[in-house]
Amino acid sequence: MNPGRGHAVWPAAVTVHESVQDPHAELWFAEPAGFTALPMNALLAEWNTPEAELLVAAAAPLLASAPNEMARQQFIAFFASGQQALGALREFGTVHCSVGLHRDDVGGGAQPLLSLFTITWRDTATAPRAATAARAVTASGGHRHVEYLELPCGPLTISEVLRRPAAESGLPHVPLLQVHAHLPHPDCKRLAVFTVSTVAVARREEYRALLRGMVETVRFEDPLGWRRNGVERGLGRR
């Protein structure tokens, strides 16, 4: 993984996602190569709906290819666990979730690096955007390497948090690096939180540069006609 120091270097190819033209979109951004968006609405479709029927049809070939009943049950359990995790994210205000897969070519090991990228809406007290951006990283502890920026989308802060699982959680005792970008909305009543999470703590500078490259593409107004390297997407507050 080598997005560059200080800015993200992305491929020249551009893919414009259909969500750019979503009439309910309130935020637009470009997503670099290496990230695969999870269709949250489709994966969390309610039963007895057309969307749920499409989900069952999509999963049917995978279930049919399982070598035995135990494997099928393991797949169903794993899928249900993933749905629970996505459901918890959505309840928290998350409207976009992508899985990142990159090659660690910085250290020469060429090992795959996994990450999770999310965008979450949060309501805030009405205040100037600069104050909201600053307050987002001072109201709760743990934020390190705080950086304040003025970009085309407005003021924002980028910070890092290092989290460790509780002993009783049952999770591997591996630190989790989360790089956050807090972007106050022009209505001064909410903010969008861009977060990249990874256990590859040694690559914090590269992930920070990657996230900064993404927030540089953010617009809160319809950017039709505006182009950036990566995948352009529009997001509403669903």
Side-chain angles (χ1 to χ4, degrees), residues 1-5 7-10 102-107 113 203 206-207 209-210:
M1 179 186 182
N2 188 10
R5 304 282 177 170
H7 66 285
V9 180
W10 297 348
H102 297 87
R103 185 181 63 188
D104 185 4
D105 56 3
V106 175
L113 298 174
R203 295 291 168 257
E206 285 73 29
Y207 277 110
L210 188 148

Side-chain angles (χ1 to χ4, degrees), residues 43-183:
L43 291 173
L44 297 175
E46 296 182 4
W47 292 112
N48 299 321
T49 63
E51 292 79 9
E53 294 178 1
L54 291 174
L55 180 60
V56 171
L62 295 174
L63 291 172
S65 65
N68 51 54
E69 182 61 25
M70 178 177 293
R72 281 190 289 271
Q73 292 302 320
Q74 288 177 338
F75 172 81
I76 293 173
F78 180 78
F79 188 81
S81 177
Q83 283 184 309
Q84 290 179 347
L86 286 177
L89 287 174
R90 188 166 69 175
E91 290 181 2
F92 191 63
T94 299
V95 293
H96 180 78
C97 182
S98 292
V99 175
L101 177 61
H102 297 87
R103 185 181 63 188
D104 185 4
D105 56 3
V106 175
Q111 297 296 315
L113 298 174
L114 289 172
S115 61
L116 184 69
F117 168 55
T118 60
I119 300 178
T120 302
W121 286 107
R122 292 185 187 173
D123 293 325
T124 64
T126 303
R129 298 171 70 187
T132 297
R135 187 166 52 202
V137 295
T138 57
S140 58
H143 289 272
R144 306 184 303 172
H145 306 291
V146 176
E147 181 181 12
Y148 178 85
L149 299 173
E150 288 279 356
L151 296 179
C153 64
L156 62 94
T157 51
I158 296 179
S159 62
E160 301 170 22
V161 176
L162 192 64
R163 304 186 186 279
R164 297 181 183 275
E168 64 275 10
S169 67
L171 297 173
H173 293 282
V174 178
L176 176 70
L177 172 70
Q178 291 189 310
V179 186
H180 299 289
H182 293 87
L183 296 76

